[in-house]
Amino acid sequence: MNEFRNVEKINPFKYILAVDIPYLNLEKGIIINERIKNTILANGIFVIPVYENKAYDMAILDEEQLNEGYYEIKNELTRLERNKYFDKKKLKEISDNISKKMIKNKENLIYLPLKKLQEYDEYTYTHSLNVCVVATLIARNMGLREKMVRKVSFSALIHDIGKTKISNEILNSPNKLNDEEFRIIKNHVRYGYEIALKNKIIDEDVLGGILYHHEKFDGRGYLYNKSDLEIPLVARIITIADVYDALTSKRSYKKPWNNYETISFIIQNVEKIFDKDIVSVFIKIIGLYPPGTKVMLNDYSVGTVVAARETNELQPLIQIGECLIDLKQENKYILKVFKE
């Protein structure tokens, strides 16, 4: 049975929308994140019917840690824009806390909440945090040593610091970039590398993640047209996390893709953009039907994927109303995926 909740008091990710709100393009079954919550409030809706998200307690990171990380990186990148320096120790502390939590968490079921922007100029902050979370999770599941996982985490957190040297007019342009604007955007990887060096970051693995995260496995990326294993491991991990978050985020020039479309894109671009071995690990974590995907089961019931199962990409946990369905335990399977 659904309950009515004051929207202002809803914890992001803890509840699932229990009705359609057509004029806001919000469908019943969507997990209410911070952006959706604020969209509802901005349209004068203050009480809504919801279901409690049964996977909320399975979250790999809690809401408090997400928010703390977001505000810390926002402060440091804002400082960087002003005076060309940031507190390296503070950012390292954020990434280390995330990696420690990931390494400690050995749950087979994963619910991965990611912070999504409210305003376009927040994109770099939320994106940096999300890429850090996803890249760290990949590194952990690859079985890398803790020291290397922490390097991946730190490099992912600061992978886009070069964008602080690019104007918001270009970063948030709703139009297709011209050749000169695209040249400037591409140079953010070099700017980031230079900023890291100025801030006394000298670890080659961390620097490689910043400089090469837009290289593609087939050699068609930028800036250096590296391919295959020429691309450092940290960069190959960050590339997948970077694309996953970018495609599932709303930008000034595009709507967000749903999780299922994004996973499909990543699979289709194995050995074109992505390293197949790292994609294999990523899919085992996120699942073929990531949390938030709206699906129909073979009994024609409709629900929302709320947790992925690391050992079985095809049998996630589905929530239908207040009921939690474990496809591994039930004689049911996913018949159809809905586009959001």
Side-chain angles (χ1 to χ4, degrees):
M1 182 176 177
N2 62 288
E3 55 182 303
F4 284 83
R5 285 272 170 174
N6 183 328
V7 180
E8 290 184 333
K9 295 181 179 179
I10 285 178
N11 289 344
F13 305 110
K14 191 171 183 178
Y15 294 95
I16 293 172
L17 189 63
V19 294
D20 293 330
I21 309 180
Y23 71 96
L24 297 183
N25 292 320
L26 298 177
E27 292 188 352
K28 176 181 177 180
I30 196 168
I31 296 171
I32 302 171
N33 61 24
E34 193 168 3
R35 180 176 60 80
I36 291 169
K37 171 182 170 178
N38 286 317
T39 297
I40 293 171
L41 284 172
N43 282 272
I45 302 173
F46 301 103
V47 178
I48 56 171
V50 295
Y51 302 114
E52 188 170 341
N53 180 359
K54 301 294 186 180
Y56 183 73
D57 293 332
M58 300 173 191
I60 198 86
L61 291 173
D62 57 41
E63 182 193 353
E64 183 179 348
Q65 192 167 6
L66 274 176
N67 285 334
E68 182 181 344
Y70 167 76
Y71 288 112
E72 291 289 358
I73 194 166
K74 182 176 182 178
N75 288 340
E76 293 309 319
L77 293 188
T78 302
R79 185 210 304 261
L80 177 61
E81 289 172 358
R82 287 199 304 262
N83 60 25
K84 299 182 182 179
Y85 292 95
F86 57 83
D87 188 336
K88 178 178 73 172
K89 185 178 178 182
K90 177 62 71 176
L91 291 180
K92 189 73 168 63
E93 189 178 295
I94 296 169
S95 64
D96 280 349
N97 286 340
I98 288 172
S99 58
K100 285 175 188 174
K101 183 77 178 279
M102 297 279 188
I103 291 166
K104 184 179 178 182
N105 191 318
K106 298 293 184 182
E107 293 294 323
N108 173 249
L109 293 166
I110 288 183
Y111 177 54
L112 184 64
L114 296 177
K115 194 168 181 68
K116 293 300 181 182
L117 78 166
Q118 300 170 47
E119 303 294 337
Y120 294 132
D121 60 2
E122 294 180 340
Y123 177 74
T124 298
Y125 316 134
T126 58
H127 179 64
S128 298
L129 179 63
N130 292 343
V131 172
C132 175
V133 171
V134 176
T136 304
L137 197 54
I138 294 171
R140 183 204 77 172
N141 280 58
M142 288 176 68
L144 301 181
R145 292 183 178 180
E146 181 173 345
K147 184 178 179 181
M148 192 62 178
V149 174
R150 290 168 67 175
K151 287 183 180 184
V152 170
S153 191
F154 185 44
S155 184
L157 187 67
I158 61 174
H159 77 287
D160 266 350
I161 53 174
K163 287 185 177 177
T164 59
K165 291 189 67 173
I166 298 173
S167 70
N168 280 335
E169 286 74 24
I170 292 178
L171 290 176
N172 297 325
S173 173
N175 304 313
K176 184 177 179 180
L177 299 179
N178 61 37
D179 290 344
E180 175 60 17
E181 289 169 333
F182 189 48
R183 184 193 67 78
I184 293 171
I185 284 284
K186 289 194 293 186
N187 271 302
H188 81 272
V189 296
R190 181 168 57 82
Y191 300 152
Y193 178 81
E194 293 167 353
I195 290 168
L197 288 176
K198 283 180 182 176
N199 283 271
K200 297 182 170 56
I201 296 170
I202 58 173
D203 186 285
E204 288 298 324
D205 291 316
V206 174
L207 292 171
I210 297 169
L211 190 58
Y212 300 121
H213 70 270
H214 278 288
E215 303 296 333
K216 294 181 180 179
F217 206 73
D218 62 6
R220 293 182 298 110
Y222 63 81
L223 285 170
Y224 304 98
N225 301 114
K226 287 185 175 290
S227 63
D228 207 300
L229 302 186
E230 290 180 333
I231 306 168
L233 175 63
V234 175
R236 281 181 275 137
I237 293 171
I238 291 174
T239 298
I240 296 173
D242 181 43
V243 170
Y244 176 72
D245 184 65
L247 292 180
T248 56
S249 296
K250 180 181 179 182
R251 296 304 317 275
S252 55
Y253 52 83
K254 76 168 190 69
K255 293 180 179 179
W257 291 20
N258 69 38
N259 285 313
Y260 185 71
E261 289 173 319
T262 304
I263 294 296
S264 298
F265 174 85
I266 289 173
I267 291 171
Q268 289 163 14
N269 282 281
V270 162
E271 296 195 330
K272 295 176 184 175
I273 303 175
F274 310 111
D275 181 325
K276 67 176 182 181
D277 294 329
I278 301 176
V279 169
S280 178
V281 173
F282 172 72
I283 297 300
K284 281 181 166 59
I285 300 165
I286 302 294
L288 289 172
Y289 309 101
T293 305
K294 189 174 179 181
V295 297
M296 177 185 289
L297 302 183
N298 59 309
D299 63 358
Y300 300 106
S301 58
V302 174
T304 304
V305 176
V306 291
R309 187 186 299 282
E310 283 194 66
T311 54
N312 191 324
E313 304 94 309
L314 293 171
Q315 294 180 310
L317 267 64
I318 313 290
Q319 185 163 337
I320 301 174
E322 286 290 330
C323 297
L324 193 62
I325 307 295
D326 186 342
L327 294 188
K328 190 174 181 181
Q329 307 296 329
E330 304 271 345
N331 187 27
K332 294 179 181 178
Y333 57 86
I334 293 172
L335 183 67
K336 178 182 178 181
V337 173
F338 291 94
K339 287 193 175 184
E340 296 166 9

